Amino acid sequence: MNLKKENILIVDDNYDMLDLLQRNLKALNYHIYKASSVNEALGILKYTNIDLLITDLNMPEINGIELIKFTEEHYPLMPKLVITGLPSINSAVISIQAGAFDYLVKPFTNEELKKAVENSFIKTRNKTKTLLPKKTSIPIDNNYSGIVGNSDQLRDLIEIIKRVKNNMATVLIQGDSGTGKELIAKAIHYNGILAKMPFITVNCGGIPEGLMESELFGYVKGAFTGANESRIGLFQAASGGTIFLDEIGTASLSVQTRLLRVLQEKEITRVGSQIPEKLNVRIIAASNTDLFQMVQKNAFREDLYYRLNVVNIKTTPLRERKEDIIPIIDTFLKKYSIEYDKPNISITEKAIEILLRYSWPGNVRELENIIQRMIIMSDDTIDIQQIPEHLKYHITSGEINILKSLKEYEKEQILKVLAAVDNNKTHAAKILQIDRKTLNQKII
């Protein structure tokens, strides 16, 4: 008799077949989880340690092949057994290629089911012995002051930087948060004729509105309460070099008016003074909001927008330049392996595949944070186990249907609670405010 109760997940849209499989497998001393759809199966996989997946092929919305592919990518050591009532050579080949260990045609006998399940466990033990994570090395073709990648968008960006780096033209960089706008500004400054001069970064969204003018333009003694001495502003601190105005769209209209004068007259006037002071500084501004749309809504001065927009650079979201992800990963691996004293760290191909599939809403900044976390959580190889759950189960339109029934959401929530209380059903039932019998009915 099987002493260990392995967890088997059975997936089929036919409830009679689910019940039949559950009875037969329970009689063999296995612990059974049931799902009538791929979405429901994913919820179980996410919060439960499953030892074997048994799935039908032909199901509505998302078929079993897609589930096999998904689990093969995320759970390469978990055996997968396919059952179907519509046998064909083509479907058999496809399911095996997708990662299934065996193929069982309906109707089948209890003995055939038992043998297929036992063979699946034997095969996975053999696979565990041979399937070691493959390490991969990643080439980098382009690296310009930390801006790395192979996409056409990146090559065009580097070309613009090379054209503007040696002049004082005002530059406006626009794009999503995390796309490297400050990195671009620094590349312009430190690769050009102003490299030895100051580079001053101003986070316009991080300075209180009441202090913005005095911070940018400075003030004279007695200009306001607490102004016990005169002080230069950030514009004067950047004299001869570059001032980078990040989140320029958050500047108040009064500050925008002062900025327009700086651009027009090349001079500033300190708060509390009437005497203008000449200024020689290159201005690079950046915004993660569309300034032109703000102009249309009268939220940003039109004349300032056109003064800033002499050279326009639009950054591209990481999801639209997938070919840059691998070089960026390699750059951060090298950087943080040194910082965290793990010089031999590497990443497997399977882990890279998952990172490539993710849409990266936080762009390069999010990728950098994820790489740091995975290095910290790894010994010498980053594999699927070190990838955060929200990346593993990221939903794409062609992979997993986001539409779920209320029953599926309910079951997923129950599984979350069970995982949080170490599968203590009494405790979980109390948290969910249902009795234990109802809880058992909802998860079988």
Side-chain angles (χ1 to χ4, degrees):
M1 177 177 286
N2 181 20
L3 297 178
K4 178 184 180 294
K5 294 185 68 173
E6 285 96 345
N7 292 331
I8 298 179
L9 170 60
I10 51 178
V11 187
D12 198 313
D13 61 322
N14 185 316
Y15 289 98
D16 291 336
M17 177 55 67
L18 282 179
D19 289 339
L20 176 64
L21 287 169
Q22 182 182 29
R23 287 196 303 272
N24 291 342
L25 292 171
K26 273 192 171 182
L28 297 173
N29 204 32
Y30 294 111
H31 188 271
I32 306 305
Y33 290 83
K34 296 191 301 183
S36 58
S37 70
V38 171
N39 277 320
E40 190 176 354
L42 276 187
I44 295 172
L45 285 167
K46 189 172 182 180
Y47 300 106
T48 310
N49 182 28
I50 297 298
D51 299 302
L52 169 65
L53 169 68
I54 302 177
T55 181
D56 187 20
L57 282 185
N58 297 286
M59 291 182 287
E61 296 181 351
I62 307 170
N63 62 38
I65 294 293
E66 294 302 314
L67 179 58
I68 292 291
K69 290 178 180 178
F70 186 85
T71 51
E72 176 65 11
E73 181 169 9
H74 296 297
Y75 305 95
L77 299 181
M78 183 179 71
K80 299 109 183 145
L81 174 61
V82 166
I83 55 174
T84 183
L86 299 172
S88 72
I89 297 298
N90 186 51
S91 58
V93 170
I94 292 174
S95 63
I96 297 299
Q97 288 177 340
F101 277 3
D102 210 343
Y103 189 89
L104 202 56
V105 179
K106 304 175 188 175
F108 44 81
T109 66
N110 292 347
E111 187 60 31
E112 288 173 332
L113 175 63
K114 177 183 177 182
K115 187 175 181 180
V117 169
E118 290 175 348
N119 284 342
S120 293
F121 284 123
I122 292 171
K123 288 179 181 179
T124 197
R125 282 193 288 270
N126 294 334
K127 185 178 181 181
T128 303
K129 295 175 183 178
T130 59
L131 185 62
L132 297 175
K134 291 191 293 183
K135 298 182 181 181
T136 182
S137 59
I138 308 166
I140 296 179
D141 294 336
N142 298 298
N143 189 333
Y144 190 85
S145 293
I147 302 173
V148 298
N150 301 318
S151 66
D152 291 338
Q153 297 97 320
L154 183 129
R155 291 188 180 95
D156 293 342
L157 170 62
I158 292 175
E159 182 62 29
I160 295 173
I161 292 172
K162 289 178 178 178
R163 288 183 177 274
V164 303
K165 66 181 182 178
N166 289 325
N167 59 61
M168 300 292 285
T170 303
V171 179
L172 176 61
I173 308 171
Q174 295 189 94
D176 295 349
S177 294
T179 50
K181 294 185 287 293
E182 184 172 355
L183 186 63
I184 294 169
K186 288 181 176 179
I188 293 171
H189 177 81
Y190 289 109
N191 285 283
I193 56 175
L194 304 182
K196 295 183 179 179
M197 304 305 290
F199 178 89
I200 302 295
T201 297
V202 181
N203 183 356
C204 297
I207 303 175
E209 185 176 337
L211 299 177
M212 178 69 83
E213 291 192 48
S214 60
E215 286 291 318
L216 288 177
F217 310 115
Y219 53 85
V220 297
K221 183 178 180 179
F224 49 82
T225 302
N228 299 322
E229 58 184 5
S230 296
R231 179 181 170 185
I232 66 169
L234 294 171
F235 267 95
Q236 286 177 303
S239 183
T242 301
I243 188 166
F244 175 56
L245 303 175
D246 198 11
E247 296 187 43
I248 187 67
T250 63
S252 66
L253 290 174
S254 64
V255 170
Q256 291 178 34
T257 302
R258 297 286 298 272
L259 287 173
L260 180 63
R261 180 173 179 80
V262 172
L263 288 164
Q264 288 176 329
E265 308 298 334
K266 305 296 183 183
E267 61 184 27
I268 60 102
T269 302
R270 299 194 205 190
V271 175
S273 173
Q274 300 296 321
I275 303 173
E277 302 175 44
K278 285 295 179 182
L279 195 66
N280 178 35
V281 65
R282 173 171 54 195
I283 297 175
I284 301 178
S287 176
N288 57 20
T289 56
D290 190 325
L291 292 187
F292 184 75
Q293 289 187 5
M294 291 184 67
V295 169
Q296 303 304 305
K297 297 175 183 177
N298 295 319
F300 198 86
R301 289 188 61 129
E302 184 177 13
D303 45 7
L304 176 59
Y305 170 73
Y306 287 112
R307 285 282 183 178
L308 291 171
N309 198 31
V310 176
V311 177
N312 185 280
I313 296 176
K314 290 188 176 179
T315 61
T316 307
L318 196 54
R319 64 181 176 274
E320 296 179 13
R321 48 188 183 98
K322 293 282 189 176
E323 56 267 60
D324 292 341
I325 292 178
I326 291 179
I328 293 171
I329 289 172
D330 188 63
T331 299
F332 290 145
L333 281 177
K334 290 175 180 175
K335 176 182 177 181
Y336 291 108
S337 65
I338 295 172
E339 182 172 326
Y340 297 116
D341 194 25
K342 295 184 177 181
N344 297 318
I345 199 79
S346 62
I347 186 168
T348 65
E349 292 176 1
K350 280 292 185 182
I352 289 176
E353 286 174 14
I354 294 175
L355 298 179
L356 286 171
R357 193 182 64 245
Y358 185 58
S359 64
W360 299 108
N363 293 293
V364 178
R365 186 181 297 124
E366 182 184 10
L367 176 55
E368 181 176 11
N369 291 341
I370 292 296
I371 294 297
Q372 286 189 70
R373 178 194 183 280
M374 292 193 302
I375 289 175
I376 292 169
M377 302 305 294
S378 305
D379 293 324
D380 60 353
T381 302
I382 297 171
D383 201 4
I384 294 173
Q385 292 82 359
Q386 284 78 43
I387 295 180
E389 292 298 304
H390 74 280
L391 268 73
K392 290 183 185 179
Y393 292 91
H394 177 65
I395 296 169
T396 59
S397 58
E399 184 175 37
I400 299 298
N401 196 327
I402 62 173
L403 300 177
K404 295 182 180 181
S405 67
L406 184 61
K407 178 182 177 182
E408 288 171 331
Y409 277 113
E410 182 183 65
K411 189 168 186 176
E412 184 173 322
Q413 179 60 24
I414 291 172
L415 291 168
K416 287 181 184 178
V417 173
L418 280 169
V421 297
D422 198 25
N423 213 38
N424 185 321
K425 292 183 179 180
T426 301
H427 192 185
K430 186 176 181 181
I431 293 172
L432 294 164
Q433 297 182 2
I434 58 177
D435 57 50
R436 181 166 173 152
K437 180 179 178 182
T438 302
L439 185 146
N440 285 327
Q441 291 173 343
K442 288 181 179 293
I443 62 174
I444 60 173

